[in-house]
Amino acid sequence: MSFSNLGLSDKVLAAVAATGYTTPTPIQEQAIPHVLARRDVLGIAQTGTGKTAAFVLPMLTLLEKGRARARMPRTLILEPTRELAAQVKENFDKYGAGQKLNVALLIGGVSFGDQDSKLTRGVDVLIATPGRLLDHTERGGLLLTGVELLVIDEADRMLDMGFIPDIERICKLVPFTRQTLFFTATMPPEISRISETFLHNPERVEVSRPATTATGVSQFKVNGGREPHEKRELLRRLLRDAKDLNNAIIFCNRKREVAVVHKSLQKHGFSVGALHGDMDQSARTAALDQFRKGEIPLLVASDVAARGLDIPAVSHVFNFDVPHHADDYVHRIGRTGRAGRAGTAISIVSPLDSKSLAAIERLIGQTIPTAEGDYAVHTETSEDSDQPREHRSREGSRGGRKPRREREPRAARDSDKRGDKSAEREPRHAKGTGRGARPQPEAGAFTPPAAAQPSRVPSIGRPEPRRAHREIESEPADHSHLPAFLLRPVRARV
Ligand code: AMP
């Protein structure tokens, strides 16, 4: 099958040829003819399958006829995060270079004025996050009554982020007769229900099982401590020991944990950026760009980075926290091993994670092996053990109090405010489990350290001989033991 058999216009075929793609991916092959035939489509496909081009290419073909009117976009694409919205815009820029279409991005964290003047000029393709889109409609600067085609992308992610009521409101603002394309990676019952509401007699196209992990990714778990500072120490050792580590994304479950881990790694001399939904848009874009360009090899991120972002060649993924949702595990480790490359995913598993881990292993249909090597947690007595020596002595003079960031992590900004709805929120399942509400582990629930277990898998690196706490404390503060690329300077952007 070639692209020329799908019914795309000559201009679009020329743009595809210019990118060097010769064969449509399965989702493109199946979905594009239906989109061009003006059918509703229910696409079950994960990111990485080429699903963006599966709607961008036929949209470009359909949009060649007709003109946009002021404040009345012709097509609308809804994305759960600003990064995904920006990525879809890049696809329009790439494939639509030969066409004079107006493509506008309505995302939070960017001034209303610029967005407004774009809307006034008339927009062929509007790519938006739900909160910011509704802000514009409520201000009267945007009419959705001219929308001929609506794309709801990453619907299951929208559900996780609590956006479904907004999507329902938006669907009432677009004409009933519109064409709708609905993409989701998984089909939980709630998504089935809303797809029946939003779609009219859709063509269903499905290209992969809802949740599978790439075969090229070696997965390991390491039993971590119950305390955050123990996990941070373990993470540093894993980073130092990791074999063939070129770059890595370190996932945390909470935004404030991202900030803490980011700061901690910086203090220990790692070249690291951060990405989470409470950062302002320019900081998010800058962190992602630096990581993509290889200027910073490490990125600490929340699940905002887990889905859809097209970051080629990530060698390692670390789960600082085991995700609460098994699906998120699949998405996170899907950041590595892309396009047939090898990758390594290592999860730090604390005694509290046993239920989440069991759900993940059920979903992926395999037991995640324990990494070989001495990754037993070295219990540190100093509350400041997470800090390099020079910081420890300074903080130590406060009479043993924890540093402020330990006692009181920066409170998450209210991302539920309308204007910032596109910012990632705490996932719904995390609500009510804030600071203080976390369940305490049962006495004796600690999992034996990896070192105490028989080794079943190849080593993930060069495990250091087990050292006593005192030796770690007296470790020199220089960072000569780190590979040079991990020491490249980076500006903090949190
Ligand atoms: P997506 O699933 O849309 O995030 O796409 C994943 C990656 O596949 C992107 O880097 C695309 O540029 C790339 N891609 C899309 N279509 C094709 C194709 N037909 N052949 C090869 N790569 C593609």
Side-chain angles (χ1 to χ4, degrees), residues 3 21 23-25 28 46-53 94-95 308 310:
F3 278 103
Y21 301 149
T23 318
T25 64
Q28 292 163 1
Q46 287 176 284
T47 52
T49 56
K51 81 171 158 65
T52 314
K94 182 165 74 174
Y95 300 118
D310 192 24

Side-chain angles (χ1 to χ4, degrees), residues 3 16 19-28 45-55 57 84 87-88 91 94-95 153-154 308-312 335 338-339:
F3 278 103
V16 172
T19 64
Y21 301 149
T22 50
T23 318
T25 64
I27 185 80
Q28 292 163 1
Q46 287 176 284
T47 52
T49 56
K51 81 171 158 65
T52 314
F55 59 84
L57 299 179
L84 281 169
Q87 204 164 278
V88 171
N91 271 258
K94 182 165 74 174
Y95 300 118
D153 195 17
E154 300 275 333
L309 294 188
D310 192 24
I311 304 168
R335 301 298 92 208
R338 282 165 88 79

